[in-house]
Amino acid sequence: MTTMEPQTRLGTDYSDEAAVAAPWSQAEAILREAELFWISTVRPDGRPHVTPLIAVWRDGALHFCTGPGERKARNLAANPQVVLTTGTNAWSEGCDVVVEGEAVRVADDARLRELAAAWEAKYGSAWHFDVEDGHFRHGAGKALVFEVAPRTAFGFGKGSTFSQTRWSF
């Protein structure tokens, strides 16, 4: 989990002259509030795979879940490196955030109960999970839970001043 402030650098080659580097606290707020993320994984044969999902920002890391037989879970078994992206689909406003890191499985039931409560607090009772034997359980299905602490993150400011901020951990 991320416990220190990252090194912050403005990508001047990709930013307007008036741009300034965004503070990490701005990116954390976006990650905390975002409803939808896109996860990019790599298939065992090297082809990319991208799919939308929901996630929770907690204790300096993004957390997501997936069924053990889903493509992203199978991809992560072969290569745990991921990219999670969120932001807006508008070109003229907002900030998109990209988080690169390693997906690490969370299997401790006490920790999973904390995360299940965070999921329900953020997304409502439709996303209630029970915890059982190192998994989220929802009805008859079970889900693996993963944590991604940022190794590198990027913020792409849009609108009157376009910017690219890089945060290195």
Side-chain angles (χ1 to χ4, degrees):
M1 287 179 274
T2 305
T3 57
M4 56 188 233
E5 283 293 310
Q7 289 183 324
T8 302
R9 182 171 52 88
L10 180 69
T12 55
D13 290 346
Y14 310 106
S15 301
D16 290 343
E17 286 185 20
V20 296
W24 176 241
S25 60
Q26 177 183 341
E28 282 188 302
I30 292 168
L31 295 170
R32 193 172 29 261
E33 298 301 320
E35 290 184 15
L36 183 68
F37 294 80
W38 291 87
I39 185 169
S40 301
T41 59
V42 179
R43 298 170 198 259
D45 67 4
R47 292 181 299 136
H49 178 258
V50 179
T51 190
L53 52 65
I54 62 173
V56 173
W57 177 258
R58 187 167 175 97
D59 301 326
L62 277 170
H63 299 82
F64 67 92
C65 63
T66 184
E70 291 186 39
R71 168 53 45 206
K72 59 187 162 291
R74 296 191 325 259
N75 293 349
L76 293 172
N79 180 349
Q81 302 305 311
V82 299
V83 176
L84 289 143
T85 306
T86 193
T88 67
N89 284 330
W91 176 250
S92 62
E93 64 184 9
C95 181
D96 298 330
V97 178
V98 176
V99 172
E100 299 176 349
E102 181 175 341
V104 176
R105 174 122 185 263
V106 178
D108 175 73
D109 282 356
R111 178 71 175 147
L112 289 172
R113 280 190 285 280
E114 292 173 11
L115 292 171
W119 243 273
E120 193 165 351
K122 182 175 181 179
Y123 293 103
S125 60
W127 291 96
H128 171 81
F129 292 107
D130 293 314
V131 174
E132 181 181 297
D133 297 326
H135 296 86
F136 276 177
R137 180 150 310 276
H138 185 75
K142 68 178 181 179
L144 307 173
V145 178
F146 292 91
E147 172 181 287
V148 180
R151 179 178 54 246
T152 305
F154 296 92
F156 298 93
K158 303 178 290 186
S160 61
T161 304
F162 287 84
S163 64
Q164 182 194 67
T165 302
R166 177 188 180 111
W167 297 283
S168 301
F169 296 84

